[in-house]
Amino acid sequence: MKTKRIILSALKSLGKNKLRSFLMMIGIIIGIIALTIIVSVGFGAKGLVMERVNKFGTESLMVFAGGGVQLSQMNANQGSTTLKAEDAEYLEREISEIDGVAPFSRKGNSELKYFEKSHSSAVFGITPAYAMIWNWDVTEGDFITDEDMNTLNRVCLIGPTVQKELFGDTYPIGEQIRIGNIQFEVKGILEAKGTSPGGGDMDNRIMIPLTTFMRRVANIDYLSGVKVLLHNPKDIDVTVDKISQILRERHSLAEGVPNDFTVITPTEVTKMAEKVSGTFNIFLALLAGLSLITGGFVITNIMTISVNERKKEIGLRKAVGASSKKIVAQFLVEALAVTISGGIIGIVLGGAGAIILGIVMQMPVSVSWESILVGVVSSSAVGIFAGIQPAKKAARLNPIEALK
């Protein structure tokens, strides 16, 4: 029996039993749909990680107040009061690898009011350097200036989320809002930035002059953190060592005493973000794997039943000269045809499902050739493994017994 005839016989047999073939496909289709969605979400998550790293800046460092700050705590108040504005100025002056610094202080969940409307937002005290170092300017109005800093002006920049919640369709520039019990004039609208490296809404922020924040809003003399911009990304490791040495000396930390600050690099942001998305992807991959394994068992069981029902056909073919290898080949082709067909259907439905999921859940997905390749290879592998045992059983049949 030639290869072409083996394939045609396998397809003809599947065509005679459409319901049985469809039932074998179901498990594979479901498994490949799940796998395609997972791979697409995984690649989308990878893209999101890189997007967050790019937002952070590959040539940037972050110095946070407090030791052992994690990604999820990057926007939180750490309780340490030792990081000062003078530290930021000293680092910029003494470390030649540094191109600029943007010190800031933060207060979370502050109440904002505009007439009868209210909203909760994080308030940041910043300097004019923030725009350049964070690559974050205003779309309308003006950014904070040195004059605002020197005169402790009560002006603010609002993010798109704050604008939507407080003003709706009203033009906000020049309007007065209250942050706590202090009145501020809206000076500018910040560019939309989306999700932060830590997973927060960067558009739900209000920014005011750092001096105003320290003396009029929070009544503090310390910073939450400093973003450091480097001349060359290759100098990250050297700069981290210099920053650590200088801050330990300025904070009078004896040998063996833990740092009261944390330096975060782009590499650490990447690792932390990948860890968060990786845990989710592993869980989904296990579910997809179970679906495929279940589909494989269904194919094995149905094909075993098919072998029992087709004993006469198998016996006749062996009686007229078909070898055991050709019998095995025919059943493997049947299993492969079912799984590959199911795989193609699963890939199409999974790709569409991934796109719909991305739109509905507003999460990143990336349907790529890698997800298609994974689907085809996985379905083929399941088909081969699921078809081996029934094929061997068919090949072992005694033609005389089978024809009785």
Side-chain angles (χ1 to χ4, degrees):
M1 191 184 296
K2 295 181 180 179
T3 303
K4 183 178 179 181
R5 190 168 180 182
I6 291 174
I7 294 173
L8 291 175
S9 297
L11 295 177
K12 185 178 179 181
S13 176
L14 291 173
K16 286 181 179 179
N17 299 278
K18 294 182 179 63
L19 180 60
R20 179 186 295 163
S21 301
F22 176 73
L23 291 175
M24 287 193 288
M25 278 187 192
I26 286 294
I28 299 300
I29 291 173
I30 294 172
I32 296 300
I33 287 174
L35 193 62
T36 303
I37 291 176
I38 288 164
V39 173
S40 300
V41 170
F43 277 102
K46 184 178 180 181
L48 179 61
V49 168
M50 294 313 300
E51 180 185 337
R52 289 182 177 181
V53 172
N54 290 332
K55 283 181 182 178
F56 181 83
T58 55
E59 70 292 339
S60 302
L61 299 171
M62 287 292 295
V63 182
F64 283 98
V69 178
Q70 300 297 318
L71 180 65
S72 59
Q73 303 169 323
M74 285 174 67
N75 290 331
N77 295 324
Q78 298 306 308
S80 175
T81 62
T82 56
L83 188 62
K84 304 296 178 69
E86 293 78 11
D87 290 330
E89 294 170 2
Y90 191 86
L91 292 174
E92 184 176 18
R93 186 170 62 249
E94 295 297 323
I95 301 178
S96 60
E97 289 82 4
I98 291 179
D99 187 28
V101 298
F104 65 90
S105 203
R106 179 186 186 277
K107 184 179 180 182
N109 297 323
S110 297
E111 185 180 12
L112 314 176
K113 283 192 175 181
Y114 175 68
F115 291 105
E116 300 301 321
K117 292 184 178 180
S118 62
H119 181 62
S120 180
S121 170
V123 179
F124 283 74
I126 64 168
T127 65
Y130 202 93
M132 185 271 291
I133 292 175
W134 280 91
N135 189 28
W136 199 352
D137 211 334
V138 292
T139 55
E140 294 186 63
D142 299 307
F143 206 80
I144 288 168
T145 63
D146 289 325
E147 181 182 353
D148 294 327
M149 292 283 292
N150 295 332
T151 58
L152 279 70
N153 270 357
R154 290 179 294 175
V155 293
C156 66
L157 312 175
I158 63 173
T161 300
V162 177
Q163 179 188 6
K164 177 183 176 182
E165 295 295 330
L166 286 184
F167 295 97
D169 297 328
T170 303
Y171 186 68
I173 304 298
E175 294 292 326
Q176 302 287 324
I177 67 171
R178 297 187 73 83
I179 303 176
N181 295 318
I182 305 172
Q183 194 162 324
F184 282 80
E185 178 184 332
V186 178
K187 187 176 184 181
I189 303 172
L190 292 163
E191 294 174 336
K193 288 290 184 177
T195 307
S196 71
D201 182 7
M202 296 179 73
D203 298 331
N204 189 32
R205 293 182 180 182
I206 280 194
M207 298 184 185
I208 65 177
L210 180 60
T211 51
T212 307
F213 180 92
M214 287 183 162
R215 299 183 191 178
R216 290 186 171 180
V217 175
N219 192 27
I220 58 174
D221 65 348
Y222 54 87
L223 303 173
S224 298
V226 182
K227 184 168 185 180
V228 178
L229 186 66
L230 307 182
H231 292 288
N232 191 335
K234 295 179 181 178
D235 296 330
I236 284 180
D237 292 337
V238 174
T239 309
V240 169
D241 291 338
K242 290 184 178 181
I243 289 173
S244 298
Q245 182 179 351
I246 288 173
L247 290 182
R248 286 188 65 84
E249 290 176 358
R250 288 182 61 83
H251 296 179
S252 303
L253 298 177
E255 186 176 350
V257 176
N259 291 339
D260 59 359
F261 58 89
T262 303
V263 182
I264 294 180
T265 67
T267 302
E268 291 169 322
V269 173
T270 303
K271 288 179 180 178
M272 288 185 284
E274 285 180 341
K275 183 178 179 181
V276 173
S277 62
T279 302
F280 176 69
N281 290 335
I282 288 171
F283 173 71
L284 292 180
L286 289 173
L287 292 179
L290 288 174
S291 298
L292 281 174
I293 292 170
T294 302
F297 278 119
V298 170
I299 291 173
T300 301
N301 290 333
I302 293 179
M303 288 198 69
T304 300
I305 295 171
S306 176
V307 169
N308 292 331
E309 291 179 352
R310 294 162 62 188
K311 282 183 179 181
K312 285 188 177 181
E313 175 194 336
I314 297 167
L316 182 60
R317 292 194 176 183
K318 295 193 76 174
V320 296
S323 65
S324 295
K325 287 184 179 179
K326 290 178 180 177
I327 298 296
V328 168
Q330 179 179 341
F331 278 87
L332 284 179
V333 168
E334 289 183 20
L336 274 173
V338 168
T339 52
I340 291 176
S341 299
I344 292 171
I345 295 171
I347 288 168
V348 173
L349 295 178
I355 294 171
I356 294 171
L357 180 66
I359 295 171
V360 174
M361 301 297 293
Q362 295 185 342
M363 59 190 296
V365 295
S366 177
V367 182
S368 59
W369 66 268
E370 289 96 338
S371 58
I372 296 173
L373 180 63
V374 169
V376 172
V377 171
S378 300
S379 59
S380 300
V382 169
I384 292 171
F385 285 110
I388 286 176
Q389 186 58 36
K392 286 183 176 179
K393 180 178 180 180
R396 287 195 298 265
L397 284 176
N398 186 305
I400 298 175
E401 293 295 327
L403 288 171
K404 284 183 180 180

